[in-house]
Amino acid sequence: MDAQLKKGLLEVCVLVSLKKEESYGYKIISDVSPYIEISESTLYPILKRLEATGCLTTRTKEYNGRLRKYYMITDAGKKKIKDTVADLDELKRVYEFIYREGV
């Protein structure tokens, strides 16, 4: 898969994993991994970027004597999901054309 496409899809997958409830890094990885490969070294820069662009907010909470950072989606993050779904619908039509005419 193209690296830039994968980067964009990973960002949206992270946002989708946070749509129902806040979560933390390890849980996000386990939620997303069945669908697309993601590692800690990939996840945390994505989380920082999404927070910097206003798609996420964070809070810390103690868990087993350690501070754990929780991530929550914002309205901007929800809009990013909607925009991506619209883009994917267009991309799907292009792929259908390629498969139909190019194979």
Side-chain angles (χ1 to χ4, degrees):
M1 179 182 297
D2 177 71
Q4 291 296 13
L5 177 60
K6 185 175 181 178
K7 177 183 166 189
L9 290 174
L10 279 170
E11 286 186 358
V12 175
C13 287
V14 168
L15 290 170
V16 168
S17 75
L18 296 168
K19 199 168 176 193
K20 291 183 182 174
E21 63 184 355
E22 68 181 17
S23 193
Y24 55 94
Y26 181 78
K27 176 85 167 75
I28 294 168
I29 290 171
S30 62
D31 290 344
V32 172
S33 288
Y35 306 100
I36 189 168
E37 184 181 331
I38 188 168
S39 65
E40 283 185 41
S41 62
T42 303
L43 175 65
Y44 288 102
I46 289 171
L47 290 169
K48 284 186 179 199
R49 195 167 42 253
L50 289 170
E51 185 178 11
T53 58
C55 293
L56 297 177
T57 59
T58 62
R59 72 179 180 94
T60 54
K61 181 180 175 185
E62 189 173 327
Y63 178 81
N64 286 343
R66 297 176 54 193
L67 287 180
R68 179 183 277 174
K69 196 171 198 177
Y70 287 85
Y71 300 88
M72 295 139 297
I73 193 169
T74 63
D75 288 340
K78 291 174 185 174
K79 182 180 182 322
K80 184 173 178 77
I81 293 170
K82 282 185 176 184
D83 292 346
T84 300
V85 168
D87 291 343
L88 290 175
D89 286 342
E90 182 178 346
L91 188 59
K92 180 182 174 190
R93 289 190 301 275
V94 172
Y95 279 131
E96 286 171 352
F97 170 73
I98 292 168
Y99 281 125
R100 186 180 63 243
E101 302 297 329
V103 177

